[in-house]
Amino acid sequence: MRDSNPLNLRSLIAGNYDHIYIFTHLRPDGDAIGSSLALANALKTGCNTVEVFCPDVIPSRYSFLPGVDLFQDSFTAREGKGLAFILDCSDLRRLNNMGDKVLQLDKIVNIDHHITNEKFGDVNLIDASAASTGEIMYQILQHDYELNYEISLCLYVAISSDTGSFKYENTTPQTMEIAARLLEKGINPSYVSQKIFDEYPASTVFLLRDALASLQFDATEKIAWMVVNDETLRKHGAEASDLDGFVNYAKNIKSVEVGIFFYQTDNKETKVGFRSKTVDIASVAYSLGGGGHPRAAGCTLRGEPEEVIDKVIQSVTQLFCKG
Ligand code: AMP
Ligand code: MN
Ligand code: MN
């Protein structure tokens, strides 16, 4: 494994800042949460204050992670010099209303692996070849810090989440080598997998039943989609984060190239999640105002729910008309 040091963290923070703020994206996933907590756990013994922010609640399945209670969902800058790390976040819109306030801090370090990253930082460390932000954080942290069990656990959650437990095509030899180093620190993959993927409340499975009932295809059966709205969530006492991963049921059908999940909120916003087997879906998401990776991307659209669905299906259909 190449032993590069992509960012000299110790010299970056050495004595120059009173406060360190770590931010990650709304609707946080394991990579967002794990990367942020790995960094927070590493930096917390320094002489700066360290705070962690996410504009949404952290799903309860991550509550076993060390430091998860540090997360705050609203941000006000403190008096004094502030350094912000923004992790796993392709653009500042993904920080909701925290985005503008972040820009007022003294330095912004943007660490990410999205190909659509808008490079909004003073320092931009973007590696689209990394399977997760956790992988980049491992490279940074292992250079200067002792990777104890707590930090290793956070990194493992980040890395295993964004690779679908090491099965997506973004998984590389480097991903596996980093995972091996983390296992040497005492991480138990079975325990982590159980915590994140195998402890659903029954309400999530009933929600899945309704989501599957909405499954539809285009005429070619290359595109499949499911739709859920806030009313359905309320019916099951479920939260939006319970929908994570549902899109894979559409994508995993044999004939399907692109699976799409539509989540319609009460205020006429539709959150769209894309998963693809072979075509580049990030470009479609980006053209609709969102972003992501070639095989996993998303966007949020406003408007009449049915019109949004038509527009998105049309955009995806275009992918198969080219060439
Ligand atoms: P999801 O379907 O929500 O799991 O998202 C899949 C990928 O698309 C993740 O890498 C997200 O970071 C990205 N993504 C989802 N929604 C958006 C959005 N509104 N803007 C930019 N990127 C997004
Ligand atoms: Mn993420
Ligand atoms: Mn990620």
Side-chain angles (χ1 to χ4, degrees):
M1 177 166 52
R2 85 194 132 94
D3 180 29
S4 60
N5 185 11
L7 182 77
N8 197 326
L9 199 52
R10 279 205 192 274
S11 70
L12 185 72
I13 60 178
N16 294 326
Y17 298 94
D18 303 302
H19 307 295
I20 294 173
Y21 306 100
I22 300 167
F23 296 87
T24 196
H25 64 79
L26 47 82
R27 301 181 70 205
D29 48 35
D31 189 24
I33 297 163
S35 297
S36 301
L37 291 181
L39 182 59
N41 281 306
L43 298 182
K44 72 181 180 193
T45 51
C47 48
N48 329 69
T49 67
V50 180
E51 291 178 277
V52 196
F53 300 89
C54 174
D56 272 326
V57 284
I58 306 300
S60 58
R61 60 183 172 278
Y62 297 105
S63 53
F64 71 104
L65 282 180
V68 74
D69 294 337
L70 294 173
F71 270 105
Q72 303 174 51
D73 61 7
S74 76
F75 165 67
T76 312
R78 294 179 186 277
E79 192 89 358
K81 238 178 142 194
L83 169 65
F85 289 93
I86 305 191
L87 305 185
D88 198 43
C89 195
S90 55
D91 58 72
L92 287 175
R93 297 180 297 286
R94 304 272 288 150
L95 293 183
N96 260 359
N97 55 6
M98 293 180 186
D100 288 344
K101 296 188 201 164
V102 166
L103 285 175
Q104 290 156 18
L105 294 170
D106 297 282
K107 191 166 204 161
I108 297 177
V109 181
N110 168 18
I111 303 175
D112 187 28
H113 68 128
H114 290 92
I115 200 156
T116 53
N117 189 286
E118 294 184 355
K119 302 194 172 73
F120 48 79
D122 301 301
V123 177
N124 297 292
L125 182 58
I126 315 302
D127 180 359
S129 74
S132 58
T133 299
E135 210 171 283
I136 307 172
M137 286 315 305
Y138 172 87
Q139 301 277 7
I140 296 171
L141 292 176
Q142 60 97 27
H143 231 267
D144 284 342
Y145 292 82
E146 165 64 26
L147 295 188
N148 59 23
Y149 176 79
E150 283 73 26
I151 298 172
S152 301
L153 180 60
C154 296
L155 290 173
Y156 185 85
V157 165
I159 293 167
S160 60
S161 297
D162 259 22
T163 55
S165 301
F166 309 99
K167 74 178 180 200
Y168 298 155
E169 75 176 23
N170 58 3
T171 306
T172 64
Q174 174 172 290
T175 315
M176 291 298 205
E177 283 180 45
I178 293 174
R181 300 288 89 78
L182 296 175
L183 262 56
E184 286 164 3
K185 301 284 181 181
I187 303 307
N188 177 344
S190 151
Y191 165 77
V192 174
S193 173
Q194 173 80 24
K195 283 282 174 200
I196 300 180
F197 302 114
D198 299 340
E199 290 187 358
Y200 293 123
S203 58
T204 304
V205 183
F206 288 121
L207 179 64
L208 175 63
R209 186 170 64 181
D210 280 0
L212 290 173
S214 75
L215 183 70
Q216 288 186 61
F217 296 87
D218 74 327
T220 65
E221 300 201 350
K222 285 184 177 171
I223 307 170
W225 63 95
M226 297 191 278
V227 189
V228 158
N229 60 24
D230 266 335
E231 205 184 317
T232 315
L233 288 191
R234 274 193 297 275
K235 178 175 136 193
H236 295 293
E239 292 168 10
S241 64
D242 295 327
L243 300 168
D244 283 358
F246 283 15
V247 63
N248 289 314
Y249 286 92
K251 188 260 299 175
N252 288 345
I253 297 163
K254 195 165 184 199
S255 68
V256 170
E257 288 289 338
V258 177
I260 311 171
F261 196 89
F262 295 96
Y263 161 47
Q264 301 163 335
T265 69
D266 286 340
N267 54 359
K268 289 224 162 100
E269 258 185 4
T270 302
K271 298 180 193 302
V272 190
F274 300 98
R275 295 292 184 277
S276 156
K277 282 185 188 143
T278 52
V279 291
D280 172 18
I281 206 71
S283 57
V284 177
Y286 195 67
S287 74
L288 293 167
H293 309 284
R295 306 286 177 261
C299 62
T300 301
L301 296 170
R302 294 195 71 83
E304 289 303 323
E306 286 309 314
E307 285 170 21
V308 167
I309 292 177
D310 287 349
K311 181 177 173 177
V312 169
I313 302 297
Q314 259 179 36
S315 301
V316 175
T317 304
Q318 302 262 307
L319 277 176
F320 300 105
C321 300
K322 286 178 191 157

